[in-house]
Amino acid sequence: MKKILFVLATVTICIIMSVCCFAADVTLAGDGSAGNPYVISDRQGFDYFAQNYTEFSGKYVSLECDIMLNSKDCFELDQNGNVTGVVGTPSAWIPIGTASEPFSAYFNGNGNTIFGLYCDANTAGLFGYVRNAKISDLRVYTSYIKATSLGGILCASADGATQITDVVTSGFVTKNNTNTMATRLSGLVAVLYEDAKVTDSCAYATVVMPEVYVSYTGGLVADNMGTITGCGFDGNVVATTSQIAYAGGIAAHSTGSVSRCYATGSVSATSMGTQKETHLGGIVGAQENASITKCESDVALSVTNDTVSDSLSVIGGIAGYSQNSAVSNCKATRTILSDATY
């Protein structure tokens, strides 16, 4: 009886949280300049900012408080407090920024935390599409992300001259049930484009890719075309593919640069069917015309193939597959386990 009452109470809390997410017409203090940014001082102000983000393009925004999107009771947690699932009906977050109207402001979190993010969408994250923006000094903890094509706890896509600095995330990232040909999932940013940068940031996450035709599963970034510097990942990356899988502690696939980064935890993949390829690396699963410099991996790597005929697995402590690319001043430890052919 006590267990039933607990579940009912949890569901009630989650429902209450969900009806409190609509922002009234509010006015934020400040004028949006660098010296006098718009100030978010409560949940109502944050909701207003999220729902009217295009009004803040090119402006400076300062978060001055912690924000709770869902209570802790809305999530399943393991013995270490890591998110493994959801309970009841959490308030579903709509990512800030679309492909046609990306987020383009300068957002300073001032070390504050956004807690309890739950997002189930085609492109999922706190932010969706980000372009020519700055996001800094922010914590996004106890998150649960389900995406169809692009999913990252902070954002799905970052392009233009976007700079992401001193952001820390934690949570669980996975794919929803909608079948797709290719999916990119990560603990921070799903896709980082050419001129975008991630600096001094970290993800504590479990990133799980169910079976998909082509999968990009990264601890920090799924598909890196930009610059990643001074970042870290601590957690588990799990990929399943019927054709091609890229998986890595920092990035699944990279045509950009990765430097002064570390990864710890595990990266594993399971390949289903025949004529498949798996690329696993402690730092990067596969890199092409790219570089990895001064990085350290303490990641357990493993590959399992349901059949070994017509299969190819490329595994490396730093990088799995590397073409026209450089790896320098790096260190890798831990064990590589595989039943695959090379």
Side-chain angles (χ1 to χ4, degrees):
M1 185 63 181
K2 290 182 179 179
K3 185 176 181 180
I4 295 174
L5 289 174
F6 172 76
V7 172
L8 289 174
T10 298
V11 173
T12 301
I13 291 170
C14 291
I15 293 174
I16 290 172
M17 290 293 296
S18 69
V19 299
C20 296
C21 65
F22 300 101
D25 187 15
V26 300
T27 301
L28 301 183
D31 60 15
S33 64
N36 188 24
Y38 289 118
V39 174
I40 298 172
S41 57
D42 55 24
R43 173 66 192 271
Q44 188 180 41
F46 185 72
D47 287 339
Y48 179 83
F49 159 75
Q51 295 164 16
N52 299 277
Y53 69 90
T54 56
E55 298 178 8
F56 300 91
S57 295
K59 304 296 184 180
Y60 291 81
V61 179
S62 179
L63 180 64
E64 301 291 341
C65 65
D66 293 337
I67 301 293
M68 179 177 285
L69 300 180
N70 284 287
S71 72
K72 185 178 179 180
D73 295 322
C74 292
F75 300 92
E76 294 177 357
L77 306 174
D78 65 16
Q79 59 184 5
N80 297 316
N82 300 312
V83 177
T84 59
V86 296
V87 177
T89 309
S91 174
W93 182 253
I94 298 174
I96 303 170
T98 65
S100 59
E101 293 184 310
F103 175 77
S104 300
Y106 308 122
F107 186 86
N108 185 352
N110 290 298
N112 290 298
T113 298
I114 295 174
F115 183 92
L117 169 66
Y118 171 76
C119 186
D120 184 349
N122 179 46
T123 53
L126 178 66
F127 296 89
Y129 290 86
V130 174
R131 179 176 300 153
N132 297 322
K134 292 182 180 179
I135 303 173
S136 63
D137 201 10
L138 180 65
R139 311 292 176 255
V140 187
Y141 291 157
T142 312
S143 309
Y144 190 91
I145 302 295
K146 292 182 72 174
T148 304
S149 58
L150 303 178
I153 294 175
L154 180 67
C155 69
S157 171
D159 70 359
T162 293
Q163 297 180 32
I164 296 168
T165 306
D166 191 18
V167 175
V168 183
T169 62
S170 74
F172 188 93
V173 183
T174 191
K175 177 183 173 295
N176 60 28
N177 293 326
T178 306
N179 187 30
T180 57
M181 292 294 289
T183 302
R184 292 164 170 83
L185 301 178
S186 72
L188 188 77
V189 179
V191 181
L192 189 71
Y193 284 95
E194 286 86 351
D195 296 324
K197 298 179 180 180
V198 176
T199 307
D200 299 333
S201 297
C202 185
Y204 298 89
T206 295
V207 186
V208 178
M209 179 76 75
E211 184 178 353
V212 66
Y213 190 76
V214 180
S215 66
Y216 298 77
T217 317
L220 196 78
V221 174
D223 200 353
N224 173 48
M225 293 167 261
T227 303
I228 304 173
T229 307
C231 294
F233 170 73
D234 185 349
N236 303 294
V237 173
V238 181
T240 304
T241 184
S242 59
Q243 189 63 30
I244 302 174
Y246 301 100
I250 294 297
H253 182 268
S254 179
T255 55
S257 68
V258 178
S259 62
R260 296 190 292 106
C261 293
Y262 76 91
T264 186
S266 67
V267 175
S268 62
T270 300
S271 297
M272 312 294 291
T274 60
Q275 296 182 337
K276 54 212 181 281
E277 297 180 14
T278 305
H279 307 273
L280 258 70
I283 298 297
V284 175
Q287 64 168 350
E288 302 169 78
N289 302 307
S291 65
I292 304 172
T293 308
K294 296 180 179 179
C295 291
E296 184 169 346
S297 165
D298 184 25
V299 173
L301 300 164
S302 63
V303 173
T304 301
N305 286 332
D306 62 337
T307 62
V308 297
S309 60
D310 301 318
S311 65
L312 172 66
S313 294
V314 184
I315 312 171
I318 297 298
Y321 177 79
S322 187
Q323 181 181 43
N324 298 325
S325 301
V327 176
S328 60
N329 298 314
C330 295
K331 178 182 177 181
T333 56
R334 299 288 285 270
T335 303
I336 297 175
L337 300 175
S338 173
D339 66 3
T341 56
Y342 295 83

